[in-house]
Amino acid sequence: MSLDSHMSNPDEPTKNNHAGSAATKATPTIDVEKPTLGLGFGVSVITRRWKREDLLKRGSLITRGLALLFSFLSFIIMASNKHGGWNFDDYEEYRYLLAIAILSTLYTGGQALRHLNCIWKGKQIFGQRISALVDFLADQMMAYLLISSTSSAISLTNRMREVGDDSFTDSSAAAICMSFFAFLSLALTAMVSGFKFSTQSYI
Amino acid sequence: MSLDSHMSNPDEPTKNNHAGSAATKATPTIDVEKPTLGLGFGVSVITRRWKREDLLKRGSLITRGLALLFSFLSFIIMASNKHGGWNFDDYEEYRYLLAIAILSTLYTGGQALRHLNCIWKGKQIFGQRISALVDFLADQMMAYLLISSTSSAISLTNRMREVGDDSFTDSSAAAICMSFFAFLSLALTAMVSGFKFSTQSYI
């Protein structure tokens, strides 16, 4: 805006003098906006911000993808865990792990699709602030559920392994590992969502 | 700013016509700044912001105090859990619960003291942004540890109660409950810390 008024000065000096009162009243506005108008400084701030937002978007998409992968693996390994006469279905800890793995697969899959859709088409279903808030809260809750199911299954498997070590406990341990990695990815995602929630909608 | 230009219209109609180009070019800047310059509106925004910050501070202090109380109770109940020939020390899940309860007591106690100190004396050990970031991350980690220890202890206690129900399993269950309430309070604190982290240092 200050650029425009500077450019119009040499063309219409008399008109500008006539409108002196309006021009002087407009100065404070220009002063307030100066930081973003200092061209080099403003551009560097904006590009830095774009880069950071891009990094956050990519980072959150990658950790979401990893969480999807790991929870899917945990779900598959636990669901097929029937070895040597043992069945995962007889233990409520394993059923809990399976249920949370399925829930986490659906949640992270849906979230990844939504974010991809948002990146490709630039459309958002909800407002940006609402969506960042929901991400932040839901990621945290899903991470709590994952660590809870993982811990309870670890407790059971550890006790089983004190008696004997076979392919049933091995594949339980594998499912637990995958579930723990899914938790780690989702905890990272929750932190990135927190940062996104904290940095968006300003400037 | 828009008020000023409206008031100058009836006084100097011709000048305004002369400066038509400058006036129309100035409109977008005025529109952007309108909300902060209306005096009543600006004051109400600031007082609302103060109220919200005060509420967040009090809320976070209350949930921290509750987390401190519950983790201390969990620690005491589990540490004195030696009934009918049974000892909590023989089970690693209960030792894990005790360890995390002690850690959580120390952490929430230290945090509550730091925040009280900050409210009374107005001093901050670190910068506001750094301190909000550390709160946000550390609260989340402590909440993950608490839910993890609670889940593993639930799994063990449930299995014990299938065999028999005595004062040992009862006081284990009490300690687990306290630990779970501590988790709930700390999860709330983590969310409030996220909001604080997202709202401070702007405006």
Side-chain angles (χ1 to χ4, degrees):
Chain A
M1 206 28 70
S2 67
L3 280 175
D4 287 343
S5 59
H6 279 296
M7 282 164 72
S8 65
N9 275 353
D11 300 332
E12 308 165 322
T14 49
K15 281 175 190 174
N16 211 28
N17 286 339
H18 279 270
S21 62
T24 47
K25 274 169 189 166
T27 347
T29 338
I30 292 165
D31 276 352
V32 171
E33 292 223 323
K34 206 184 260 173
T36 53
L37 284 174
L39 205 62
F41 181 74
V43 166
S44 87
V45 161
I46 290 169
T47 50
R48 226 188 309 148
R49 191 181 162 75
W50 277 349
K51 271 184 195 158
R52 195 181 53 194
E53 275 183 358
D54 203 46
L55 194 74
L56 280 181
K57 251 184 200 165
R58 275 166 205 272
S60 126
L61 203 62
I62 288 170
T63 52
R64 257 175 230 287
L66 284 177
L68 172 62
L69 175 72
F70 287 130
S71 27
F72 185 68
L73 279 177
S74 167
F75 155 46
I76 292 289
I77 295 172
M78 190 45 94
S80 61
N81 189 8
K82 289 169 187 173
H83 301 286
W86 300 89
N87 191 345
F88 81 93
D89 206 28
D90 299 335
Y91 302 94
E92 55 186 2
E93 284 88 347
Y94 291 159
R95 274 181 276 144
Y96 181 31
L97 188 87
L98 181 69
I100 298 298
I102 293 175
L103 202 65
S104 166
T105 308
L106 292 178
Y107 170 75
T108 46
Q111 280 276 34
L113 274 182
R114 192 171 71 83
H115 280 260
L116 274 180
N117 191 38
C118 168
I119 287 177
W120 283 335
K121 300 191 179 167
K123 278 191 294 189
Q124 284 211 315
I125 304 172
F126 311 108
Q128 206 171 13
R129 191 158 175 83
I130 299 275
S131 124
L133 177 64
V134 168
D135 276 6
F136 169 59
L137 296 182
D139 286 347
Q140 257 184 318
M141 280 178 203
M142 206 62 234
Y144 290 138
L145 284 177
L146 274 172
I147 188 72
S148 162
S149 69
T150 307
S151 302
S152 69
I154 284 176
S155 161
L156 175 65
T157 311
N158 216 17
R159 236 147 250 291
M160 280 182 173
R161 282 199 151 174
E162 282 172 9
V163 184
D165 218 358
D166 56 2
S167 56
F168 178 69
T169 55
D170 281 354
S171 64
S172 306
I176 289 170
C177 270
M178 292 301 124
S179 191
F180 185 68
F181 286 142
F183 155 71
L184 281 186
S185 319
L186 212 59
L188 259 180
T189 316
M191 285 178 185
V192 174
S193 302
F195 281 110
K196 267 164 111 175
F197 177 57
S198 82
T199 51
Q200 56 80 47
S201 97
Y202 300 98
I203 294 184
Chain B
M1 210 24 76
S2 69
L3 278 175
D4 289 344
S5 62
H6 279 297
M7 282 164 70
S8 66
N9 275 352
D11 301 332
E12 308 165 323
T14 50
K15 282 175 187 171
N16 213 26
N17 285 340
H18 279 273
S21 62
T24 47
K25 275 169 188 167
T27 347
T29 335
I30 292 164
D31 275 352
V32 169
E33 290 230 324
K34 205 185 263 174
T36 53
L37 283 173
L39 201 64
F41 183 75
V43 167
S44 86
V45 160
I46 290 169
T47 51
R48 227 189 308 147
R49 192 183 160 74
W50 279 348
K51 272 182 194 160
R52 196 182 53 195
E53 275 182 359
D54 204 47
L55 194 74
L56 279 182
K57 250 184 200 166
R58 274 165 206 272
S60 128
L61 204 62
I62 289 170
T63 51
R64 256 175 232 287
L66 284 177
L68 173 62
L69 175 73
F70 287 130
S71 28
F72 185 68
L73 281 177
S74 168
F75 153 48
I76 292 289
I77 296 171
M78 190 46 93
S80 61
N81 190 7
K82 290 170 186 173
H83 301 286
W86 299 90
N87 191 344
F88 80 93
D89 206 28
D90 298 336
Y91 302 93
E92 56 186 1
E93 285 88 349
Y94 291 158
R95 273 181 275 143
Y96 181 32
L97 189 87
L98 181 70
I100 299 297
I102 293 175
L103 202 65
S104 165
T105 308
L106 292 178
Y107 170 75
T108 47
Q111 280 277 32
L113 275 183
R114 192 171 72 82
H115 281 260
L116 274 181
N117 190 39
C118 167
I119 288 177
W120 284 335
K121 300 191 180 169
K123 278 191 294 186
Q124 284 214 314
I125 304 172
F126 312 108
Q128 208 171 11
R129 193 160 172 82
I130 299 276
S131 122
L133 177 64
V134 169
D135 277 7
F136 169 59
L137 296 182
D139 286 348
Q140 257 184 318
M141 280 179 201
M142 205 63 234
Y144 290 138
L145 284 177
L146 275 171
I147 188 72
S148 162
S149 69
T150 308
S151 301
S152 68
I154 285 176
S155 162
L156 175 65
T157 311
N158 216 16
R159 237 148 248 292
M160 279 182 173
R161 282 199 150 175
E162 282 173 7
V163 185
D165 217 358
D166 56 2
S167 56
F168 178 69
T169 55
D170 281 354
S171 62
S172 305
I176 289 169
C177 270
M178 292 302 124
S179 191
F180 185 68
F181 287 142
F183 156 71
L184 282 186
S185 318
L186 212 59
L188 260 180
T189 316
M191 284 177 186
V192 175
S193 302
F195 282 109
K196 269 165 108 174
F197 177 56
S198 82
T199 51
Q200 56 80 47
S201 97
Y202 300 100
I203 294 188

